[in-house]
Amino acid sequence: MKGIILAGGRATRLRPLTKITSKQLLPVYNKPMIFYPLETLLRAGIRDILIIMAPDYAGHFLNLLGSGKDFNARFSYEIQDEPRGLADAFKVGENFIGDDNVTMILGDNIFDYDFTESIASFERGGKVFAKEVHDPERFGVVEFDEQKNVVSIEEKPESPKSRFAVVGIYIYDNNVIEHAKSLQPSARGEIEITDINNIYHEKNELKVELIDGIWEDAGTFDSLLAANNYWAKKAKEEGGQNG
Ligand code: G1P
């Protein structure tokens, strides 16, 4: 299983914080934001990790993370010249993925959940994760039937059919590369991860697991603040505030 952290984009919603560096390098309590998704992958046993970055501050990621030696892992890097969508990660990462399966996590998605079992038990198709939220219209939204089978997945629907948001970690088999190549850009000009999920869903190859624990998509001032507050409290509770 390979890992990808997608840390592209311009993060205009977080200006001026993101005028001089990438969103994924901003502090979340005592660590740069990207450490959280990185630790999520490492905790699940993934050691071979590609970091996909926007061009502007790519050097900052290299300075921070290096070869991966300090993390007992191996890091590779690719530049995504334009924010072409989440599904573009599988095209940018094609050579890195090779013939393997891949887990992709968004560089601004912060979880307090252990994905080890979900990754270890993955065999084929796609496996994504959902969590109940109060503002599902901001996300990919999954609708279930009474047996908890997936009925539909819609990207940022105006009238969400449920409160279950698809969170920013995705496990796919190697077919994801071909699926990504087959996509056309959506109305916002991006190739959408939701379209990938719908390809797997139509083939009856998509599983959705519910997660608990905190999940923040730290792309707004409020969610960034919430993530900082959560991890500050947790670090203090665990007595680790001084590192
Ligand atoms: C993206 C996905 C969306 C998903 C969300 C999770 O949204 O398109 O399906 O629910 O990440 O953070 P974006 O961050 O591009 O608005």
Side-chain angles (χ1 to χ4, degrees), residues 13 23 85-86 106 108-109 136 138-141 153-156 165-170 188 190 192-194 197 215-218:
R13 282 181 301 175
K23 162 172 67 174
L86 270 49
L106 306 184
D108 65 352
N109 268 233
R138 277 180 60 201
F139 303 105
V141 175
I153 303 185
E154 294 178 316
E155 182 64 23
K156 301 190 178 68
V166 180
V167 303
I169 181 167
Y170 314 86
R188 64 170 169 168
E190 298 188 356
E192 301 286 346
I193 201 81
T194 292
N197 292 335
W215 165 55
E216 290 289 347
D217 168 339

Side-chain angles (χ1 to χ4, degrees), residues 114-158:
D114 189 348
F115 292 92
T116 308
E117 273 307 306
S118 306
I119 290 173
S121 63
F122 175 80
E123 286 173 357
R124 59 189 295 273
K127 191 186 275 190
V128 302
F129 302 87
K131 185 170 168 65
E132 203 165 359
V133 296
H134 64 273
D135 49 359
E137 62 287 344
R138 277 180 60 201
F139 303 105
V141 175
V142 56
E143 177 194 7
F144 297 101
D145 66 15
E146 272 145 30
Q147 283 76 44
K148 287 281 169 227
N149 297 310
V150 178
V151 177
S152 71
I153 303 185
E154 294 178 316
E155 182 64 23
K156 301 190 178 68
E158 275 177 28

Side-chain angles (χ1 to χ4, degrees), residues 30-92:
N30 56 359
K31 286 181 252 184
M33 187 187 295
I34 196 169
F35 274 41
Y36 293 85
L38 175 59
E39 285 169 5
T40 298
L41 295 183
L42 293 172
R43 181 179 180 188
I46 297 175
R47 301 277 139 192
D48 204 352
I49 297 171
L50 173 69
I51 294 132
I52 300 181
M53 316 160 291
D56 292 0
Y57 308 108
H60 295 190
F61 287 92
L62 279 162
N63 289 342
L64 177 69
L65 300 170
S67 67
K69 195 165 142 272
D70 293 350
F71 300 83
N72 208 1
R74 195 176 73 172
F75 298 155
S76 308
Y77 298 87
E78 287 278 2
I79 307 280
Q80 186 186 44
D81 297 307
E82 294 290 330
R84 283 182 299 253
L86 270 49
D88 187 54
F90 307 106
K91 292 162 75 175
V92 174

